[in-house]
Amino acid sequence: MTRRTDWSEYACPDAAARERERRRPGEAGSAGAEGDGYGADGTDGPAPYDTGEPHRGDGSRRGGGRARGAGGSCRRRRHEDAEPFSEDGGATSSSRAEKEEPPRDPVEQARAICLRLLTGTPRTRRQLADALRKREIPDEAAEEVLSRFEEVGLINDSAFADAWVESRHHGRGLARRALARELRTKGVDSTLIDAAVSQLDSEQEEETARELVARKLRATRGLDRDKRLRRLAGMLARKGYPEGMALRVVRRALEEEGEDTEFLDDEGF
């Protein structure tokens, strides 16, 4: 007859040996008679305090459960006694070595930071210098990297200013005064700013102002004349248009809608 293989024999041989010793003939019956709650005559009737639930088997079956529990505890003891990290070459020493690794060269750090910031978005030299200063890169290393990037064309404030004016004027309708203010906040030299905003002449600027007013005019219909004037003129002022140009554009737009604009003059506006 094939002997049933208990997993505890593999999990913990000592516990399995003790279990086989406990199951020898003559002992199982006595164990059942003493502590299983069965009658002394071997009948299966319930004990006086039995709850009526089905019996879970004989003593050998419960003993097998205990053997498996012993095997599990054995495995746990082996796991707890094991040393997952050795002092002379384990993961702990590797982590400690990484933490104690000497810092990288500041020039290499500055180069990596600049390349990451320039990926997909052009930036001025001032913006990159501010970023390196926040990351506590030494000034000498930062200057070396920034100068080298300018030499190879990765930093070009002149091209940045030209592209900024082109994008912000056509995309947001900003006038030269607002564009110059934005470029100054980004650290562009005043000479480069003047050259960039000079791409826009007064005629082109006024044409853009008329387009802005035409889009905004529909939203002001139904309001009184003074309120429409304040909203339209305020919108142009926030975008950097001169007051005289804003007055001309707003007056023309209101006249085309039949509004009386005789009260408007350059001095009063």
Side-chain angles (χ1 to χ4, degrees):
M1 184 175 73
T2 304
R3 185 175 62 88
R4 184 174 61 88
T5 301
D6 199 325
W7 175 251
S8 61
E9 296 181 5
Y10 297 96
C12 188
D14 294 338
R18 289 195 300 270
E19 175 63 14
R20 288 196 301 270
E21 181 68 17
R22 193 190 63 77
R23 292 181 181 179
R24 286 185 303 176
E27 295 181 3
S30 60
E34 291 176 0
D36 288 345
Y38 288 85
D41 56 354
T43 60
D44 292 337
Y49 299 100
D50 193 359
T51 60
E53 296 180 356
H55 297 300
R56 297 184 179 180
D58 57 7
S60 62
R61 180 69 61 129
R62 286 192 297 274
R66 286 193 294 272
R68 285 193 293 273
S73 62
C74 179
R75 289 195 297 274
R76 285 194 297 272
R77 285 197 299 272
R78 288 202 302 269
H79 179 73
E80 294 173 357
D81 295 339
E83 292 292 338
F85 302 109
S86 59
E87 298 180 355
D88 56 349
T92 303
S93 59
S94 301
S95 301
R96 188 181 303 111
E98 292 177 359
K99 293 180 180 179
E100 297 176 357
E101 183 181 357
R104 296 166 54 189
D105 180 29
V107 174
E108 295 181 0
Q109 288 183 325
R111 184 182 297 108
I113 292 171
C114 291
L115 288 175
R116 184 170 62 252
L117 292 176
L118 289 170
T119 301
T121 304
R123 300 178 188 270
T124 65
R125 177 173 179 137
R126 168 76 69 77
Q127 289 177 305
L128 294 175
D130 292 343
L132 295 177
R133 190 175 301 109
K134 288 181 180 179
R135 290 164 174 78
E136 299 181 352
I137 301 297
D139 293 340
E140 294 181 358
E143 183 67 23
E144 178 180 344
V145 172
L146 294 175
S147 299
R148 178 57 181 168
F149 275 36
E150 277 189 328
E151 292 177 3
V152 300
L154 293 177
I155 299 176
N156 191 332
D157 285 0
S158 177
F160 177 91
D162 293 341
W164 187 267
V165 169
E166 179 73 15
S167 174
R168 299 286 284 177
H169 177 72
H170 294 288
R172 299 290 302 276
L174 299 184
R176 288 176 290 183
R177 185 170 59 184
L179 293 169
R181 182 170 59 249
E182 288 185 344
L183 290 173
R184 281 194 295 270
T185 62
K186 296 183 178 299
V188 180
D189 185 78
S190 58
T191 303
L192 299 178
I193 294 176
D194 294 339
V197 298
S198 64
Q199 302 175 27
L200 302 176
D201 54 23
S202 298
E203 295 180 0
Q204 184 176 359
E205 201 172 43
E206 186 168 344
E207 177 64 25
T208 303
R210 285 197 295 268
E211 294 175 359
L212 292 172
V213 170
R215 291 199 296 265
K216 186 74 172 179
L217 195 63
R218 180 178 299 178
T220 63
R221 289 173 183 169
L223 302 177
D224 61 78
R225 182 188 59 188
D226 294 341
K227 185 173 292 186
R228 298 183 76 187
L229 173 63
R230 288 194 300 270
R231 289 193 178 183
L232 294 172
M235 180 265 296
L236 293 179
R238 288 190 297 272
K239 292 182 178 294
Y241 289 90
E243 293 181 359
M245 180 183 297
L247 173 62
R248 291 195 304 270
V249 172
V250 173
R251 175 187 290 173
R252 179 180 300 179
L254 293 178
E255 287 176 351
E256 292 176 354
E257 292 225 335
E259 292 282 0
D260 181 14
T261 60
E262 293 182 0
F263 70 99
L264 296 176
D265 53 34
D266 294 344
E267 295 180 359
F269 185 79

